[in-house]
Amino acid sequence: MHFTHQDTQRLAASMLEWYDRHHRTLPWRSEPGDTPDPYHVWLSEIMLQQTTVQTVGPYFAAFLKRWPTVTDLANAELDDVLHAWQGLGYYARARNLHKCAKVVASEYDGVFPDTEEGLLKLPGIGPYTACAVAAIAFNRHASPVDGNIERVISRLFALETPLPDVKPEIKEKSAALTPSDRPGDYAQALMDLGATVCTPRNPACGICPWQADCEGRKSGIAPDLPKKRKKDPKPTRVGYAFWIRREDDGRILVRRRPEKGLLGGLYEVPGSDWRAIEAPDDVMLSEAPVSANWSELDGTVGHTFTHFHLNVSVLATTLPADHADKLEGSWTTIDGLSDFALPTIMKKIVRHALKYGPA
DNA sequence: AAGACGTGGGG
DNA sequence: TCCCCAAGTCT
């Protein structure tokens, strides 16, 4: 399948026309004709990595309100950024977001670089985001390829090679279709189309501006594209959470996780390691922050991460203050828990402890 | 280069 | 219930 130069111009034009009529108004999108704020574009693109528009909305608004400029964000404390990010997931994004803001503020005088290669050097900005920001914020002739565009292009050309092998071919085909005029709108058009028309399941080919040219639709395989390699089943891990209450004031112990790795920099109810195979109770118990008289609460807390399922049992105890004060971490009231950046698994553990724990 | 890295919604 | 999916990056 090959398009002539004339074909590509026609396809780009019909896509932009579709965008002008059907594009969504999103908080980070400038009005047509207005120059977008690179800070807004960058912030939204980082938040939107592997995350839905609906989920991002409130976070984007809250960040912009609290940190109106990239310099404001650079001057923030990391813990405050992680706190504002809690629940959004992939927390390395928040750490890199903060790092990136600091670099832009200190080394670029608060002004984002306006080229793909300049952007690519910044923390948390990879090939997709560099391309997207260059196109959307700076109107550069760049062709970002995200999951939506992979789907649209693989269908348009009926590419049956599975991802990720087919990625270079998609990149090449997509670049060849990208117009010099309005490359940013064109990129957003493809993403909108992928999100609302050329959807993973039940694509609405009947209303697609490219239906007449789509090889995938014509051969009836569009809904099955792009092909992907099968994923390995997720293993299940188990562990304990230690709900430790200080006797005199009823405060609870929380602690900050190491900055690298899973849930890095967020706070946790102290816990054992999460193991693939259930270890004997005494091994898990030896990982408690303190030796104590534990009572196991009813039920378990289940949570699924990207690459494993987790089942946590909660052990509760109450410690005399002189004993409690030797432990590492922060003692907080229940209400005060909202001041800490807690990932969803920890919120579940807190909820479970409050529901089943000793009164 | 393949695996680590979150979460919530939809079918 | 369970699997797939969402504007990927880092190591």
Side-chain angles (χ1 to χ4, degrees):
Chain A
M1 181 58 212
H2 180 259
F3 290 121
T4 65
H5 179 63
Q6 201 169 23
D7 288 332
T8 64
Q9 290 198 316
R10 176 174 52 81
L11 287 168
S14 63
M15 184 57 61
L16 282 167
E17 186 187 328
W18 177 86
Y19 184 69
D20 289 336
R21 281 183 289 124
H22 297 290
H23 74 82
R24 302 178 284 179
T25 54
L26 301 173
W28 44 86
R29 221 167 239 183
S30 63
E31 292 302 311
D34 285 6
T35 307
D37 184 329
Y39 172 57
H40 298 189
V41 175
W42 163 73
L43 178 61
S44 68
E45 287 299 342
I46 301 297
M47 287 184 166
L48 286 163
Q49 289 168 8
Q50 302 292 286
T51 310
T52 58
V53 163
Q54 184 178 344
T55 300
V56 165
Y59 287 89
F60 179 80
F63 267 70
L64 220 52
K65 181 173 182 191
R66 184 158 181 191
W67 300 294
T69 70
V70 67
T71 305
D72 296 324
L73 184 57
N75 291 333
E77 292 296 326
L78 174 59
D79 270 14
D80 289 333
V81 175
L82 288 170
H83 186 259
W85 197 274
Q86 66 176 325
L88 200 49
Y90 284 143
Y91 297 99
R93 290 185 296 170
R95 302 191 298 271
N96 285 144
L97 184 86
H98 188 234
K99 201 180 298 177
C100 182
K102 283 183 170 303
V103 172
V104 170
S106 63
E107 294 179 31
Y108 294 82
D109 203 23
V111 180
F112 277 89
D114 64 356
T115 64
E116 192 179 330
E117 61 175 9
L119 289 158
L120 193 51
K121 292 177 183 155
L122 296 169
I125 297 188
Y128 162 75
T129 305
C131 225
V133 174
I136 297 169
F138 301 113
N139 207 38
R140 296 281 181 181
H141 187 255
S143 310
V145 176
D146 74 326
N148 290 301
I149 297 179
E150 281 177 350
R151 190 166 54 254
V152 172
I153 298 298
S154 66
R155 288 174 177 173
L156 178 64
F157 292 93
L159 305 178
E160 298 190 69
T161 307
L163 286 167
D165 294 1
V166 75
K167 232 174 167 47
E169 192 175 359
I170 291 175
K171 177 83 186 167
E172 178 195 326
K173 301 270 192 201
S174 186
L177 284 172
T178 302
S180 313
D181 182 43
R182 302 174 65 192
D185 284 348
Y186 175 79
Q188 294 179 91
L190 281 190
M191 291 189 267
D192 271 18
L193 187 84
T196 62
V197 175
C198 195
T199 48
R201 282 165 298 208
N202 307 317
C205 298
I207 59 169
C208 179
W210 281 358
Q211 56 180 284
D213 297 277
C214 183
E215 293 300 319
R217 185 195 65 78
K218 287 193 265 186
S219 59
I221 61 173
D224 302 319
L225 297 177
K227 305 260 190 209
K228 298 187 178 181
R229 292 227 185 81
K230 293 209 172 90
K231 289 164 188 164
D232 295 338
K234 289 188 210 294
T236 296
R237 298 185 191 172
V238 297
Y240 284 117
F242 304 105
W243 184 254
I244 306 171
R245 195 169 158 276
R246 189 161 64 181
E247 190 169 46
D248 57 323
D249 59 5
R251 285 174 178 251
I252 302 301
L253 182 66
V254 295
R255 63 189 183 189
R256 194 170 190 271
R257 294 172 63 89
E259 277 205 18
K260 292 201 169 200
L262 186 65
L263 310 177
L266 277 78
Y267 280 78
E268 65 175 2
V269 175
S272 70
D273 278 351
W274 297 334
R275 301 170 189 287
I277 297 171
E278 192 155 10
D281 283 353
D282 58 334
V283 173
M284 296 280 208
L285 278 173
S286 72
E287 293 168 1
V290 60
S291 137
N293 182 25
W294 300 106
S295 63
E296 182 164 356
L297 307 189
D298 288 342
T300 61
V301 177
H303 190 72
T304 298
F305 292 101
T306 311
H307 51 299
F308 64 94
H309 302 289
L310 176 65
N311 286 117
V312 175
S313 302
V314 182
L315 300 180
T317 196
T318 300
L319 252 40
D322 58 341
H323 199 170
D325 291 341
K326 292 174 185 162
L327 300 182
E328 297 283 337
S330 306
W331 293 95
T332 174
T333 60
I334 299 302
D335 285 348
L337 280 167
S338 62
D339 295 334
F340 295 87
L342 294 175
T344 298
I345 171 62
M346 293 303 154
K347 293 195 174 195
K348 288 183 181 176
I349 287 170
V350 167
R351 196 191 321 149
H352 194 262
L354 293 176
K355 184 172 176 186
Y356 295 104

